[in-house]
Amino acid sequence: MAGTHPSRPGTGGGDGDVPPYIARDADERIRRRVAGAERHGGMVLVVGDSTAGKTRAAFEAVRAVLPAHRVCAPSADNDLTGVPLSIERGGSRCVVWLDDLERYLRPGGMQIDVMAALTRLKVPVVATMRLKPFETFSAARDHGSGAQLLRAAGVIDLDRLWSDGELSRAERCDDPRILDALTHHGTYGVAEYLAAGPSLLREWRRAGPGNGHARGTALVRAAVDLTRCGLRGPYPRALLEDAHQ
């Protein structure tokens, strides 16, 4: 759904079911910013760690505030320079959805001139971005268009670890996956546990050479290292085969 991490299976629903949404403390701010962007144009950017729940919170805000809008969700590889004109010619009320905004901050992507054209048309842009890339782009010394775009955006931070209020609201939910996450999340965020992040990490660490999965472990490590180097997947099989050696 809209770029969210798949949730772990649960006894209360099928493997592909999306758990019920637990209201976040930032919801009111996000929705107020989305409503403002709908009236005046502009970008609403939800920033936080991976699996903090950014995409779900932004999605729920769009669904609540802009239920009649069409969603324009271009691929990160597409040329976005023609998006404003396409929306203007289409004549429908649209919201532009950019999950993982860092993928779009490139030549031909979401640049200042594209954003200016969308703002002129009063087309709201709703985006999410992981904290690390946000800090990297914001601190860029050359103050390129990526940094300018972030400075102009309405930024809302979303914490990975849930507040007491959020945990209390989750306790009133009857979905077994939510209740299981509350029991086990500990140092992990509830959304992080729902995305099976901790269990996948443990499975990877346990599958080392001594457990007969040396090659699989190395392949995953190669993909992780490529990501940490700043390369964006999916990675060609030949690259992973070469790197995992």
Side-chain angles (χ1 to χ4, degrees), residues 17-245:
D17 288 356
V18 176
Y21 182 63
I22 305 299
R24 305 297 301 271
D25 293 343
D27 281 349
E28 184 179 351
R29 280 176 289 147
I30 298 173
R31 296 176 188 195
R32 189 167 58 245
R33 289 284 180 85
V34 170
E38 193 274 332
R39 291 191 298 271
H40 309 294
M43 175 184 289
V44 180
L45 177 60
V46 183
V47 174
D49 289 322
S50 178
T51 67
K54 305 180 298 297
T55 302
R56 184 70 186 273
F59 174 86
E60 295 294 340
V62 169
R63 186 163 70 168
V65 179
L66 308 175
H69 278 57
R70 298 186 66 177
V71 177
C72 173
S75 167
D77 297 324
N78 288 355
D79 186 340
L80 304 189
T81 55
V83 168
L85 182 59
S86 296
I87 291 176
E88 185 175 24
R89 287 177 174 174
S92 299
R93 291 186 300 171
C94 287
V95 52
V96 175
W97 175 266
L98 303 176
D99 195 43
D100 290 332
L101 178 64
E102 62 270 20
R103 300 181 298 146
Y104 297 86
L105 300 181
R106 53 168 181 76
M110 181 51 69
Q111 299 288 287
I112 287 294
D113 56 343
V114 176
M115 189 65 234
L118 291 171
T119 301
R120 177 180 58 81
L121 297 172
K122 298 183 179 179
V123 174
V125 177
V126 178
T128 69
M129 194 172 189
R130 289 180 294 119
L131 182 58
K132 295 281 187 185
F134 176 79
E135 292 174 342
T136 299
F137 276 98
S138 298
R141 292 185 177 181
D142 60 1
H143 300 292
S145 59
Q148 294 178 44
L149 196 68
L150 297 185
R151 284 199 297 271
V155 178
I156 299 111
D157 295 312
L158 194 68
D159 291 332
R160 179 176 60 86
L161 298 180
W162 286 22
S163 70
D164 290 342
E166 290 168 336
L167 293 174
S168 178
R169 290 191 287 274
E171 288 173 354
R172 297 194 291 270
C173 177
D174 59 2
D175 187 286
R177 291 165 294 183
I178 300 289
L179 298 177
D180 184 52
L182 284 173
T183 302
H184 295 97
H185 72 94
T187 57
Y188 301 105
V190 172
E192 189 172 7
Y193 187 85
L194 283 170
S199 60
L200 287 173
L201 180 60
R202 286 194 297 271
E203 182 178 348
W204 174 39
R205 287 176 171 171
R206 290 170 180 167
N211 292 320
H213 299 288
R215 189 173 298 278
T217 302
L219 283 167
V220 174
R221 184 176 296 281
V224 170
D225 287 345
L226 289 169
T227 301
R228 294 179 68 186
C229 288
L231 299 178
R232 183 164 58 86
Y235 307 112
R237 178 172 177 171
L239 176 60
L240 289 175
E241 288 179 347
D242 183 54
H244 95 287
Q245 298 292 345

